Amino acid sequence: MNSKTQNKMAIGALYGIAGFVVLILLALLGYILISGTPQLSWHFLTAPAKAFLKGGGVGVQLFNSFYLLFLAMLISFPIALGAAIYLYEYAKNNWLTTTIRTAIEILSSLPSVVVGLFGFLFFVVKLRLGFSILSGAFALTFFNLPLLTRSIEDSLRTISETQREGGLALGLSRWETVTKVILPAAVPSILTGVILSAGRVFGEAAALIYTAGQSAPALNFMDWNPFNISSPLNPMRPAETLAVHIWKINSEGIMPDAKAISSGSSAVLVLAILIFNFAARYLGKRLYKRLTSA
Amino acid sequence: MLTSNDVRDDEAMQERHVTQLTDVGEDIILSTHDLHVFYGQHEALFEGDLQFANHKITALIGPSGSGKSTFLRSLNRMNDRIATVTGQIMYRGVDVNQPAIDVYEMRRRVGMVFQRPNPFAKSIYDNIAFALQLRGVTDRHQLDEIVETSLRQAALWDQVKDELNKSALALSGGQAQRLCIARAIAVKPDILLLDEPASALDPVSTSQLEDTLLDLKQKYTIIIVTHNMQQAARISDYTAFFNAGRVLEYDTTSQIFTNPQVKITSDYVSGNFG
């Protein structure tokens, strides 16, 4: 066999593998969307769930998912940003940074159910936060922190070393160089990373089952005082998210339309994550364009 | 063909010819004494002893790896985090190579332009203005004025005056390098260090850049590393020849190019190696 045919075969095999991956994705997406989209309606997206009767919605779960995502990002983004800046801009390569990097690596490969059980023991039981949005947000922070740190560090790495030299040569301190030169230039790529990790957090179930809980008490959407128990903003209430809801009704749902609700919820979840992904690309590109031309 | 290792082996018998500019009546703004630079265990520069004349252009030439860029980057302490620099760097009578010196203030007096143009991902205006704003210049009129004069001095004003709010990343290579010069002179330095500033530019931009540097000589002391010997000959007043981490010859540019005293210098400027 000469090298030309060998090359052709290799390319053919690679195409085949790539096509297979795309096929799996399309099959999954197709199945979920085809079986789920017919269930979608304004009522489904806004009404509260029903435990025993037909016609429940996922309004509360949907809100919980977004609120938890928001809180988890609020906690994890500043920490991840600080860690990434330290690791990439300041830290020298020594045993300490090697240890930190290894810790991040291990943390990012922890199964999320383990993170969830740890969150249950520590936040729910030990710190007495109970099954609450706050416990869930902390658990999600643990889950999200390593991935987000690494993605921000990668964003900083894409900014050329010559930019740092340029800042320092103007008499800026390292901190000024990072905050005024490097971070603004890295914003598009950091934003993309944040949105993509938001997609992962949004779909997370295992880490939340034992932390944010599996019940979604009815909410009064007129009450925005975070200290009231029926207020959507109250961070101490149990909050089943959409992903947990799907798991729950599939394992113990007793409403007559459980299957339809599960399909509809899956479709909502997948659509939300698709929107996150496309938004990340679109915003990243747009911001980059605005920085480089205009 | 000579390699830098060959030269190092017989360094003991090496001839050197380093002119003391104080002897020829120059006003010295910057000088180095017994400067050594180590990257870890590796010594990249052995005794760089040079004096730089005020409002003159000094070119640093020599083969790759001869230590000229290392030397230049030590002058404004850009090597601080990468290398160990020992010895004295006297700037207007003060040794700036000591820990007590405010290195940020010092770099404002000794500016630097790099090999690859590195405009920030900001507008042309902000590229120049933002370092000033960080230093407390907030008056809009004053900022406008500094931006305009800096761009004029860097010979870029006429090309960009209508698009100051455009991103600097959209500029061509030559324009971007001028912007970097404008940015460096906006903070009003005494000395401009340039590390092969034309190596990424086309011939036309290079010759424009050289004209700009000749103009800037009126106001600034310029020290330029170049691997382009015609460039050194065209624009510099003094030239230092580096080889294998040492300054082997330092004299007026015309001496170096027409009547070099050291054999290796003569080999290098006549293109026999390097």
Side-chain angles (χ1 to χ4, degrees), chain B residues 185-200:
Chain B
I185 55 188
V187 291
K188 302 210 166 32
D190 263 348
I191 304 177
L192 261 188
L193 309 175
L194 301 110
D195 189 0
E196 298 191 24
S199 65

Side-chain angles (χ1 to χ4, degrees), chain A residues 128-207:
Chain A
R128 295 166 199 246
L129 292 176
F131 289 127
S132 63
I133 289 194
L134 212 54
S135 299
F138 284 136
L140 284 182
T141 300
F142 272 66
F143 171 76
N144 190 28
L145 207 49
L147 298 163
L148 196 56
T149 305
R150 197 179 312 160
S151 117
I152 298 177
E153 207 187 334
D154 286 342
S155 305
L156 296 177
R157 189 168 293 125
T158 60
I159 307 301
S160 159
E161 206 47 45
T162 61
Q163 294 279 309
R164 295 179 179 85
E165 287 187 326
L168 291 175
L170 283 177
L172 307 189
S173 68
R174 190 150 277 270
W175 178 245
E176 286 170 325
T177 306
V178 170
T179 51
K180 308 290 177 186
V181 178
I182 305 303
L183 282 184
V187 160
S189 133
I190 291 178
L191 185 79
T192 309
V194 167
I195 301 180
L196 288 178
S197 79
R200 276 192 308 260
V201 167
F202 194 77
E204 177 55 35

Side-chain angles (χ1 to χ4, degrees), chain A residues 89-92 162-174 176 180-181 184-185 290-294, chain B residues 73 78 81 104 107-108 110-112 114 118-122 130-131 134-135 165-167 169-170 183-184 187:
Chain A
E89 303 288 343
Y90 285 90
K92 293 191 171 131
T162 61
Q163 294 279 309
R164 295 179 179 85
E165 287 187 326
L168 291 175
L170 283 177
L172 307 189
S173 68
R174 190 150 277 270
E176 286 170 325
K180 308 290 177 186
V181 178
R290 266 187 69 174
L291 279 170
T292 47
S293 63
Chain B
R73 291 170 58 92
M78 287 300 282
R81 276 167 64 97
Y104 307 125
R107 288 190 189 134
R108 251 164 272 145
V110 185
M112 189 166 215
F114 297 86
N118 56 350
F120 301 136
K122 300 175 185 300
F130 99 102
L134 280 179
R135 295 290 155 258
N165 289 320
K166 236 175 95 173
S167 168
L169 300 187
R183 187 173 77 186
V187 291

Side-chain angles (χ1 to χ4, degrees), chain A residues 43-254:
Chain A
H43 171 78
F44 181 73
L45 291 176
T46 52
K50 288 181 179 163
F52 310 108
L53 298 173
K54 255 172 82 89
V58 292
V60 176
Q61 282 80 4
L62 198 56
F63 177 82
N64 285 344
S65 287
F66 279 110
Y67 190 37
L68 247 170
L69 172 66
F70 172 74
L71 281 184
M73 281 298 169
L74 201 66
I75 303 170
S76 52
F77 180 69
I79 303 176
L81 185 66
I85 290 176
Y86 169 73
L87 281 174
Y88 192 71
E89 303 288 343
Y90 285 90
K92 293 191 171 131
N93 267 330
N94 55 25
W95 65 268
L96 179 68
T97 49
T98 316
T99 314
I100 297 178
R101 273 176 222 274
T102 314
I104 292 178
E105 205 108 310
I106 294 173
L107 203 56
S108 72
S109 53
L110 273 188
S112 55
V113 68
V114 175
V115 174
L117 285 171
F118 166 79
F120 171 69
L121 288 175
F122 190 65
F123 300 119
V124 177
V125 178
K126 187 84 190 160
L127 297 186
R128 295 166 199 246
L129 292 176
F131 289 127
S132 63
I133 289 194
L134 212 54
S135 299
F138 284 136
L140 284 182
T141 300
F142 272 66
F143 171 76
N144 190 28
L145 207 49
L147 298 163
L148 196 56
T149 305
R150 197 179 312 160
S151 117
I152 298 177
E153 207 187 334
D154 286 342
S155 305
L156 296 177
R157 189 168 293 125
T158 60
I159 307 301
S160 159
E161 206 47 45
T162 61
Q163 294 279 309
R164 295 179 179 85
E165 287 187 326
L168 291 175
L170 283 177
L172 307 189
S173 68
R174 190 150 277 270
W175 178 245
E176 286 170 325
T177 306
V178 170
T179 51
K180 308 290 177 186
V181 178
I182 305 303
L183 282 184
V187 160
S189 133
I190 291 178
L191 185 79
T192 309
V194 167
I195 301 180
L196 288 178
S197 79
R200 276 192 308 260
V201 167
F202 194 77
E204 177 55 35
L208 290 175
I209 292 171
Y210 300 108
T211 52
Q214 308 165 33
S215 59
L219 298 178
N220 174 8
F221 281 94
M222 289 301 160
D223 183 358
W224 296 99
N225 179 352
F227 296 102
N228 290 349
I229 192 67
S230 63
S231 160
L233 292 186
N234 187 325
M236 299 312 292
R237 64 186 171 85
E240 184 193 39
T241 64
L242 204 56
V244 174
H245 191 57
I246 296 172
W247 169 80
K248 180 110 182 279
I249 42 185
N250 273 297
S251 51
E252 53 193 64
I254 45 174

Side-chain angles (χ1 to χ4, degrees), chain B residues 204-219:
Chain B
V204 177
S205 309
T206 300
S207 101
Q208 290 171 340
L209 189 80
E210 287 173 6
D211 291 342
T212 307
L213 293 181
L214 285 170
D215 285 342
L216 289 177
K217 194 171 97 169
Q218 318 293 327
K219 295 197 154 190

